[in-house]
């Protein structure tokens, strides 16, 4: 992509326009995407000292400051290193109608590591392709610029900056190092650009030999690419689905095979419970000391006993080490972003445990059944979820998902009990009764979910919930087994 | 408070109850505050190795995990050090109906610094008293525990932990250091506890010589204190205001004296604008390199030209260094917290600039005039805002507030112009017309605000907005003057 780049062949078809004029046209494009509620992500990558700052300044100059944000990504801070690779980028994705400009991006780490192993590179590119794909599917326009310059130009710019008393601090070892090994980096960049030049999201290499030229080209291309993006999205909207919906006919319906007769007698329950809770605490503490993050997901039919199971699981654990995250209907701000955005924010740091009482699976259950998500949206969510959980897994996260099941009669019994017990009445809502009416539809959605998101790296455990005691013990035992396994691997 | 503490006189009036029973009673108290939408903050401070973790575990054991959160405050991370002292605590304050437990708190820094200067201690205590006061006024229940132990008990516990292969890492230099200088710390703690034992928010010292005893006492007291807190709040609710509203009769009405004839001719404007923008950029860059955070607030009547002024101010600045924060109606989550919460989250790190296009002043303007805040709420907001801005100032933040004024006729002219210009129509909303009907009420509120929050550390600049060009130059010049001043001081 850049190895044989012809600097002299750099054309600037926008040079007939003034930058101010281009800026104003970009501002109009911004109002357009604002009206259409389309998010725009502009990535500006390139050599060190290639003028990224200069180009970004020109890009935003005429924009409405309320609706753009520039995010600078440097080497990850200590805090950021304790999170999965994509975490900090997900936090900064644009909302609907906004423009996010990334000064460096998720490519930064790859570009800067000459000695990255092929395997790791492959995995990172895969993860990057999944975030780009997911944002594109969510109607985001992604524009990727790479600012390219000659070895001698870089050298000259580094020298100039070094001599400027106010700006010399901007030159780091990284700049000098790149310049000292220009050809090595050239090959490295080229190969990464090649690998990440996805058909759905291409790179645009811009020569920054002349910064003014580069700015004009970036402005002009941004305008054109936004218009092309709008065109693509309008196509999506007018029924032109991105892809065929997967023709899904369930071969398995795991919930039909749940054995609802499983029971424990009180004596056995009491005996095992105490031991298991102490052991769960011991293992949670070890996960903490070894810096292993844990994500536990609890889903199930209403009144299946999620809260009780969580409570019994965490009973002996140090409350400073875990947090229960409740998932309810998304806020306006959350609706304004990709639906996974709010969950990414909440993923645990190394050593922490987050327990999700309901989760991102709402997308393929309640949002699907109640028509809160379009078919195309929930249909692609299975892949998106699998990719996200894979990303957590790749970071070393222990991901466990529990689905607690009770049958329709048992649910009715529990609803009625809640109506009469003063300490429980707060648990019963109108929504519960509403969902109950759609029991069969929910079961279908749940069956499909359990099959399509049951992966090796994030498997479902179906918990027979008819007897609460049995369910609680099974959750404890499963956690213990899986925690031991991951701990053994890290020994 | 603890220097003459009589360990043998430690009574545990709750010892007749089982911890489980106390835990369940606390869970009922949790449901009660949930029903009443009251936030509860429990602070657990104390000696190192005094069993804070043990007590906290017992406190939460029976609670509904969805509605409590334990936050651990260690030495501030690099990231946290770049924010004002109270920033990380504000982020973790409880929402309505939730219990937040702080394992260590804003007192941590004071407790640990034996050599803290009197002046700094004084200032920090003042800031802490202001956050506690503000939360109390917002109907929060605050409970402050200090776990106390004898020198030899601490020594014994440190030794025990050191010998435990799994837990020895929990012992830090801090533990040993405290024990080595037990008496010095005893005096130091005592003096801080004394100084922060506010009549409105008292300390509760608990002997942790016996951890089980300590847990029972913490549980029992938490239950009692929550009930007392509810009592206090019910008193507030039933018209029993916390204090008399300040009898405010405006001596000054600054907006009556705005000279609306101030103008610049086009030639002068063009000439000065370019120079000033470059100078503003230069100074913004210096603020950045010196690590000075900047908060700029823009308020004004509708259509006064806030957006245009911001745009001209930032035109030459590096967009990676500033962010424009738009303030609109609060979300559900934001409404669920103290109204300053969402602004605290957004305050700049060292070296960053945040520009607020509307701000926390909404409380005493739109929320006051439209009846969205109760009288008692907006009335106390003047003090709260002054305290918050003082806190920013103490951290070294440059705080500048611009109020742009145009008269009623000019507003009408601009509304009409917006109606007809395609590039501007999006700026005009029904709300603008609605607000215009209450012009006089808004002006009264604005006058009062401009007088009551015009402080030495965060002064208002009233900008004559009748001619946009004049206003833009004044904003630029004011920023330049103030930036130079703070930069001179730090040289």
């Amino acid at each position: 992509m850049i190895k044989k780049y012809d600097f002299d062949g750099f054309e600037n078809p926008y040079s007939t326009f003034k930058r101010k004029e281009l800026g104003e046209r970009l501002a109009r494009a911004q109002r357009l995407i604002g009206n259409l509620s389309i998010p725009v992500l502009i990535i500006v990558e390139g050599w060190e000292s290639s003028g990224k700052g200069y180009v970004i300044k020109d890009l935003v100059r005429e924009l409405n400051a309320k609706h753009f944000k520039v995010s600078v990504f440097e080497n990850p801070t200590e805090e950021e290193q304790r999170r999965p690779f994509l975490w900090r980028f997900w936090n900064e994705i644009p909302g609907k109608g906004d423009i996010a400009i990334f000064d460096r991006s998720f490519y930064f780490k790859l570009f800067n590591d000459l000695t990255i192993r092929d395997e790791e590179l492959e995995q990172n590119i895969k993860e990057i392709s999944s975030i780009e794909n997911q944002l594109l599917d969510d109607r985001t326009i992604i524009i990727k610029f790479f600012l390219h310059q000659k070895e001698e130009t870089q050298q000259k710019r580094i020298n100039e900056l070094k001599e400027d008393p106010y700006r010399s601090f901007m030159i780091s070892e990284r700049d000098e190092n790149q310049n000292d090994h220009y050809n090595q980096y050239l090959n490295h960049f080229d190969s990464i650009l090649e690998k990440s030049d996805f058909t759905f999201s291409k790179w645009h290499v811009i020569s920054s030999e002349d910064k003014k030229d580069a700015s004009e080209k970036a402005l002009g291309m941004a305008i054109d690419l936004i218009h092309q993006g709008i065109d693509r999205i309008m196509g999506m909207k007018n029924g032109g689905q991105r892809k065929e919906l997967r023709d899904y006919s369930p071969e398995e319906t795991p919930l039909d095979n749940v054995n609802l007769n499983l029971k424990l007698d009180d004596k056995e329950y009491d005996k095992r419970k105490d031991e298991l809770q102490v052991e769960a605490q011991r293992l949670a503490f070890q996960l903490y000391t070894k810096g292993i993050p844990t994500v536990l997901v609890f889903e199930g039919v209403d009144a299946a006993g999620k809260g009780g199971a969580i409570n019994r699981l965490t009973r002996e654990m140090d409350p400073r080490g875990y947090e229960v995250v409740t998932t309810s209907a998304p806020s306006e701000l959350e609706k304004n972003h990709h639906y996974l955005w709010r969950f990414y924010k909440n993923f645990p740091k190394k050593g922490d445990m987050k327990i999700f009482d309901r989760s991102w699976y709402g997308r393929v259950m309640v949002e699907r059944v109640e028509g809160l998500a379009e078919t195309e949206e929930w249909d692609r969510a299975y892949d998106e979820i699998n990719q996200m959980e894979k990303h957590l897994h790749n970071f070393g996260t222990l991901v466990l998902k529990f689905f607690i099941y009770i049958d329709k009669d048992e649910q009715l019994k529990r609803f009625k009990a809640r109506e009469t017990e003063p300490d429980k009445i707060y648990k019963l809502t109108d929504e519960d009764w509403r969902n109950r009416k759609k029991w069969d539809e929910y079961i279908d959605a749940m069956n499909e979910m359990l099959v399509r998101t049951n992966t090796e790296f994030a498997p479902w455990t179906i918990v027979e919930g008819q007897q609460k005691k049995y369910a609680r013990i099974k959750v404890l035992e499963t956690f213990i087994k899986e925690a031991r396994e991951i701990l053994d691997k890290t020994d």
Side-chain angles (χ1 to χ4, degrees), chain A residues 310-343:
Chain A
I310 292 172
N311 205 277
R312 294 331 181 275
L313 173 65
T314 58
R315 191 160 192 85
E316 294 299 327
M317 293 180 187
D318 189 329
R320 299 175 293 187
Y322 70 87
E323 188 189 350
V324 177
V325 181
T326 320
T327 303
S328 42
S331 69
E332 278 310 307
L333 184 71
E334 288 165 349
K335 273 190 218 156
N336 220 3
H337 286 81
H338 192 287
Y339 86 101
L340 290 177
W341 179 70
R342 61 173 172 149
F343 301 108

Side-chain angles (χ1 to χ4, degrees), chain A residues 339-390:
Chain A
Y339 86 101
L340 290 177
W341 179 70
R342 61 173 172 149
F343 301 108
Y344 259 98
K345 280 176 159 321
N346 262 319
F347 285 143
K349 283 200 292 271
K350 283 185 183 171
D352 282 355
M353 179 185 293
K354 295 273 187 164
I355 302 174
F356 289 85
D357 187 339
R358 302 191 191 281
S359 68
W360 42 95
Y361 284 99
R363 188 70 158 190
V364 294
M365 293 197 293
V366 61
E367 290 191 35
R368 167 183 173 172
V369 175
E370 305 297 336
L372 304 171
E374 289 171 38
T375 307
E376 200 268 334
E377 286 176 327
W378 62 256
D379 183 64
R380 70 168 192 263
Y382 301 103
D383 284 348
E384 293 177 334
I385 287 171
N386 287 340
Q387 284 164 7
M388 181 177 78
E389 292 176 356
K390 183 89 201 306

Side-chain angles (χ1 to χ4, degrees), chain A residues 51-68:
Chain A
K52 291 191 291 295
Y54 184 93
V55 166
I56 290 172
K57 198 162 146 180
D58 276 348
L59 278 174
V60 307
R61 187 167 272 133
E62 305 292 335
L63 296 183
N64 178 347
K66 291 187 196 175
H67 295 291
F68 78 81

Side-chain angles (χ1 to χ4, degrees), chain A residues 93-214:
Chain A
I93 59 167
K96 290 179 184 163
D98 290 343
I99 297 180
I101 297 183
F102 283 8
D103 178 350
R104 301 205 183 87
S105 66
F106 22 75
Y107 290 101
F108 176 56
K109 174 179 139 184
L110 308 183
F111 281 140
N112 266 285
D113 188 356
L114 282 182
T115 60
I116 192 166
R117 286 172 305 114
D118 279 356
E119 197 187 317
E120 196 189 337
L121 180 62
E122 218 58 49
Q123 183 189 299
N124 279 317
I125 295 267
K126 217 175 189 173
E127 291 178 335
I128 288 173
S129 109
S130 82
I131 186 177
E132 291 189 4
N133 230 319
Q134 290 182 19
L135 294 177
L136 283 163
D137 281 346
D138 203 43
R139 309 169 77 236
T140 304
I141 294 172
I142 302 180
I143 298 172
K144 303 195 288 190
F145 290 132
F146 185 91
L147 299 190
H148 189 27
Q149 65 188 348
K150 294 182 189 165
E151 185 174 357
E152 56 269 30
T153 313
Q154 188 183 38
Q155 181 66 63
K156 210 181 97 213
R157 284 175 177 162
I158 289 174
N159 289 342
E160 276 167 17
L161 279 170
K162 270 161 75 178
E163 279 158 27
D164 182 335
Y166 289 114
R167 282 158 209 267
S168 58
F169 78 93
M170 293 169 87
I171 294 297
S172 70
E173 224 173 294
R174 206 162 58 220
D175 299 66
E176 312 244 25
N177 187 40
Q178 261 190 14
N179 197 246
D180 290 347
H181 305 89
Y182 184 91
N183 277 317
Q184 240 177 303
Y185 275 101
L186 182 69
N187 284 324
H188 182 62
F189 290 171
D190 195 69
S191 123
I192 288 168
L193 289 169
E194 207 62 79
K195 283 192 169 72
S196 56
D197 193 39
F198 312 119
T199 45
F200 49 84
S201 164
K202 311 285 285 177
W203 279 104
H204 303 279
V205 176
I206 295 178
S207 158
S208 77
E209 288 295 297
D210 179 296
K211 286 187 184 175
K212 205 170 136 288
D213 256 359

Side-chain angles (χ1 to χ4, degrees), chain A residues 224-347:
Chain A
D224 289 349
L225 290 165
I226 286 174
H227 285 283
Q228 286 170 28
I230 290 173
D231 199 44
R232 173 184 73 88
I233 288 158
M234 290 299 117
M236 286 166 68
K237 229 186 162 179
N238 301 331
Q241 296 288 3
R242 184 182 58 93
K243 55 177 177 194
E244 293 293 303
L245 292 195
R246 175 171 153 172
D247 185 19
Y248 180 79
S249 59
E251 289 149 37
E252 297 166 76
T253 49
L255 294 180
D256 294 347
N257 308 319
V258 176
N259 181 350
L260 294 171
N261 299 317
L262 293 171
K263 272 187 189 141
L264 285 176
D265 65 39
D266 288 4
K267 226 171 91 187
E268 197 179 345
Y269 172 72
D270 287 339
K271 196 187 131 227
R272 284 167 70 185
K273 188 195 65 174
D274 290 350
E275 282 168 25
L276 293 171
Q277 283 176 341
V278 170
E279 179 64 4
Q281 179 273 325
R282 204 185 62 81
L283 292 164
F285 187 71
Q286 281 191 34
L287 292 168
Y288 167 72
T289 55
K290 295 218 166 131
I292 298 172
T294 304
V295 167
L296 304 181
V297 173
F298 283 81
E299 294 285 357
V301 300
D302 291 329
K306 294 188 296 296
I310 292 172
N311 205 277
R312 294 331 181 275
L313 173 65
T314 58
R315 191 160 192 85
E316 294 299 327
M317 293 180 187
D318 189 329
R320 299 175 293 187
Y322 70 87
E323 188 189 350
V324 177
V325 181
T326 320
T327 303
S328 42
S331 69
E332 278 310 307
L333 184 71
E334 288 165 349
K335 273 190 218 156
N336 220 3
H337 286 81
H338 192 287
Y339 86 101
L340 290 177
W341 179 70
R342 61 173 172 149
F343 301 108
Y344 259 98
K345 280 176 159 321
N346 262 319
F347 285 143

